[in-house]
């Protein structure tokens, strides 16, 4: 009887952990701030936590050989983007993921809040108008793909020109969550598919 109770408690704890939500928060004003929270654990993904630099011995420079293309390089560039161009790159990258390889992941993602505000400004009226058109053409379709791919409860997207100012102001705030069990299931299915491809 005691063994059954212990096993039942263990099963209950595992079930609770699996159905708990992984929370993701994105804030973008001048650069990206990405935070992940699971239960009582908070982790800042980007920008990474500053670590103490270890002293390194000076060594003579060596000739650099050509390294194979790193697939994670594009992701790092996407996260490191700044300003308006960085915001548009981030939205474009997320929308491409939502429409392709990560479609299953986004289908289980719940976006509690998505707020985007871009006040477009430039040196003169012509520059402002051109930039405004470019931002609308890039941002609105990307936002539309994101909110349709995920389960979005509330979203706002405001892009407007300001001919009286000379500096563009941007603000992106988004909070989303997904159950851990879905993350594990999608990760496992992706791994199995990869193994099958390698075997063929």
């Amino acid at each position: 009887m005691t063994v059954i109770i212990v096993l039942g408690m263990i099963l209950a704890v595992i079930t609770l952990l699996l159905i708990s939500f992984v929370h993701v928060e994105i804030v973008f004003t001048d650069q990206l701030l990405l935070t992940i929270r699971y239960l009582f654990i908070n982790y800042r993904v980007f920008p990474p936590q500053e670590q103490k630099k270890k002293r390194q011995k000076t060594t003579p420079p060596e000739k650099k050989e050509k390294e194979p293309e790193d697939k994670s390089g594009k992701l790092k560039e996407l996260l490191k983007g700044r300003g308006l161009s960085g915001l548009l790159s981030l939205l474009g990258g997320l929308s491409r993921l939502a429409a392709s390889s990560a479609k299953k992941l986004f289908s289980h993602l719940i976006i509690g809040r998505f707020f985007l505000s871009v006040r477009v400004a430039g040196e003169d009226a012509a520059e402002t108008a051109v930039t405004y058109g470019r931002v609308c053409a890039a941002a609105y379709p990307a936002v539309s793909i994101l909110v349709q791919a995920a389960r979005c409860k509330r979203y706002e997207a405001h892009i407007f020109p300001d001919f009286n100012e000379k500096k563009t102001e941007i603000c992106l705030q988004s909070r989303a969550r997904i159950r851990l069990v879905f993350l594990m299931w999608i990760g496992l299915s992706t791994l199995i598919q990869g193994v099958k491809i390698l075997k063929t």
Side-chain angles (χ1 to χ4, degrees), residues 21-27 33-38 43 45 109-113 173-178 183:
F21 284 102
V22 177
H23 296 262
V24 180
E25 183 175 2
I26 293 176
V27 178
L33 176 61
L34 176 60
T35 307
I36 293 178
R37 177 171 61 85
Y38 177 68
Y43 180 70
V45 179
L109 187 69
I110 301 173
I111 300 177
R113 182 174 187 267
Q173 295 179 347
S174 180
R175 289 194 297 269
R177 65 184 188 271
I178 185 171
L183 283 175

Side-chain angles (χ1 to χ4, degrees), residues 70-115:
D70 186 6
K71 293 183 179 180
S72 64
K74 292 183 179 179
L75 178 61
K76 291 179 180 178
E77 290 180 4
L78 192 68
L79 296 177
K80 289 181 178 179
R82 285 177 169 269
L84 182 59
S85 61
L87 174 66
L88 296 180
S89 297
L90 178 65
L91 290 175
L94 290 175
S95 65
R96 286 191 294 272
L97 281 175
S100 58
S101 59
K103 193 173 182 179
K104 289 183 179 179
L105 178 65
F106 275 82
S107 66
H108 295 288
L109 187 69
I110 301 173
I111 300 177
R113 182 174 187 267
F114 184 95
F115 175 80

Side-chain angles (χ1 to χ4, degrees), residues 22 30 43 55 61 114 118 126 128 131 137 172 186 188:
V22 177
D30 181 58
Y43 180 70
R55 293 182 180 179
F114 184 95
V118 182
T128 300
T131 305
L172 171 64
I186 293 169
L188 182 61

Side-chain angles (χ1 to χ4, degrees), residues 26-164:
I26 293 176
V27 178
F28 196 113
T29 50
D30 181 58
Q31 67 173 359
L32 176 66
L33 176 61
L34 176 60
T35 307
I36 293 178
R37 177 171 61 85
Y38 177 68
L39 296 177
F40 305 106
I41 302 171
N42 284 290
Y43 180 70
R44 191 177 73 184
V45 179
F46 193 87
Q49 298 284 351
E50 293 183 1
Q51 298 179 352
K52 294 181 179 179
K53 295 182 179 179
K54 297 180 180 179
R55 293 182 180 179
Q56 298 179 350
K57 295 180 180 180
T58 56
T59 54
E62 297 180 357
K63 292 183 179 180
K64 294 183 179 180
E65 297 181 356
K66 291 184 179 180
E67 298 179 354
E69 185 180 355
D70 186 6
K71 293 183 179 180
S72 64
K74 292 183 179 179
L75 178 61
K76 291 179 180 178
E77 290 180 4
L78 192 68
L79 296 177
K80 289 181 178 179
R82 285 177 169 269
L84 182 59
S85 61
L87 174 66
L88 296 180
S89 297
L90 178 65
L91 290 175
L94 290 175
S95 65
R96 286 191 294 272
L97 281 175
S100 58
S101 59
K103 193 173 182 179
K104 289 183 179 179
L105 178 65
F106 275 82
S107 66
H108 295 288
L109 187 69
I110 301 173
I111 300 177
R113 182 174 187 267
F114 184 95
F115 175 80
L116 173 66
S117 175
V118 182
R119 188 186 71 181
V120 182
E123 293 296 328
D124 51 38
E127 182 182 344
T128 300
V130 171
T131 305
Y132 171 70
R134 180 172 61 87
V135 173
C136 289
Y140 280 132
V143 172
S144 178
I145 292 173
L146 285 173
V147 298
Q148 289 179 15
R151 296 160 58 188
C152 187
K153 292 187 175 182
R154 183 173 56 132
Y155 80 95
E156 298 178 48
H158 307 285
I159 303 173
F160 55 93
D162 190 339
F163 297 100
N164 297 320

Side-chain angles (χ1 to χ4, degrees), residues 166-177:
K166 294 186 177 182
K167 185 179 179 181
T168 297
E169 291 188 0
I170 57 178
C171 178
L172 171 64
Q173 295 179 347
S174 180
R175 289 194 297 269
R177 65 184 188 271

